[in-house]
Amino acid sequence: MTLRPDIQAIVDTLQDLGVIEQNSQVNGEMKGTTEGLVYILTVNKEKKYVLKVDRPQSISCAELLLATYPGSSLLPKLLYTDPHGNYILYTYTAGTTHYKRGAKIDWLTGIVTGLLNHYETSSAPQWGRLEMPRDSWAEFNRISLEEARSNVGDILPAEDYDKVQALSG
């Protein structure tokens, strides 16, 4: 994101639309690996909402994920998507993403039972990464293998690359 949006104007719009309470306030910008900007909104000093501002393509993907699994206890609830696709609002979920999350067996089991067991087939016309969409899963795998081979070079023997290529179709 190159331009910093007027976050207070977005909050005002959400308040005017009745999506969030009039006393909702921006609690600060979050840090992370996303390219977009992520803000926590509070109501009476309690964290209640997440406002994510990003490219429309990224917002669309986030909206699709949250709309596909509205009953998942692992994902936040989608509350609003900007009609222009510039931001999305969803419920705040307390927790951690990468440390002090407990035994791996427990959280992996939770991911499987709370999300993966409810997998919905995607109707997306393309595969892969947002910035490098491909027409098929096979094409995505083939190009990813070529890129891996270019990056790793001769560290792995040619037979390993051939085996992966054979497995991926």
Side-chain angles (χ1 to χ4, degrees):
M1 307 246 19
T2 55
L3 296 175
R4 287 192 105 28
D6 183 347
I7 297 303
Q8 190 57 53
I10 294 173
V11 169
D12 292 345
T13 297
L14 293 170
Q15 290 170 335
D16 292 345
L17 292 171
V19 176
I20 61 176
E21 294 87 338
Q22 288 297 320
N23 60 340
S24 298
Q25 296 181 328
V26 178
N27 189 43
E29 185 177 339
M30 301 298 294
K31 304 285 185 223
T33 58
T34 182
E35 288 183 23
L37 304 171
V38 179
Y39 299 87
I40 302 296
L41 304 183
T42 60
V43 176
N44 299 323
K45 298 185 181 181
E46 181 181 331
K47 295 176 181 177
K48 189 161 183 181
Y49 306 109
V50 174
L51 174 64
K52 179 175 174 67
V53 181
D54 208 337
R55 294 175 293 131
Q57 188 177 22
S58 294
I59 294 298
S60 175
C61 289
E63 177 185 30
L64 178 61
L65 174 70
L66 298 178
T68 300
Y69 301 102
S72 174
S73 62
L74 299 177
L75 298 174
K77 306 299 176 235
L78 174 62
L79 300 172
Y80 183 81
T81 304
D82 170 44
H84 303 287
N86 295 315
Y87 62 88
I88 190 170
L89 181 79
Y90 48 88
T91 56
Y92 173 82
T93 303
T96 184
T97 59
H98 62 286
Y99 64 96
K100 295 181 185 177
R101 57 182 161 196
K104 186 181 265 190
I105 187 71
D106 294 337
W107 56 266
L108 284 177
T109 300
I111 290 170
V112 169
T113 59
L115 190 60
L116 298 179
N117 282 350
H118 306 283
Y119 175 77
E120 295 288 333
T121 303
S122 174
S123 60
Q126 295 184 309
W127 296 86
R129 297 180 187 97
L130 285 176
E131 65 278 5
M132 295 183 299
R134 304 296 178 210
D135 290 331
S136 70
W137 185 243
E139 178 186 7
F140 172 74
N141 285 335
R142 181 184 54 74
I143 291 171
S144 296
L145 179 61
E146 290 170 6
E147 290 173 354
R149 189 173 198 165
S150 174
N151 291 333
V152 176
D154 294 335
I155 293 174
L156 294 175
E159 298 82 34
D160 288 357
Y161 293 107
D162 294 341
K163 183 165 185 149
V164 171
Q165 188 169 9
L167 290 171
S168 60

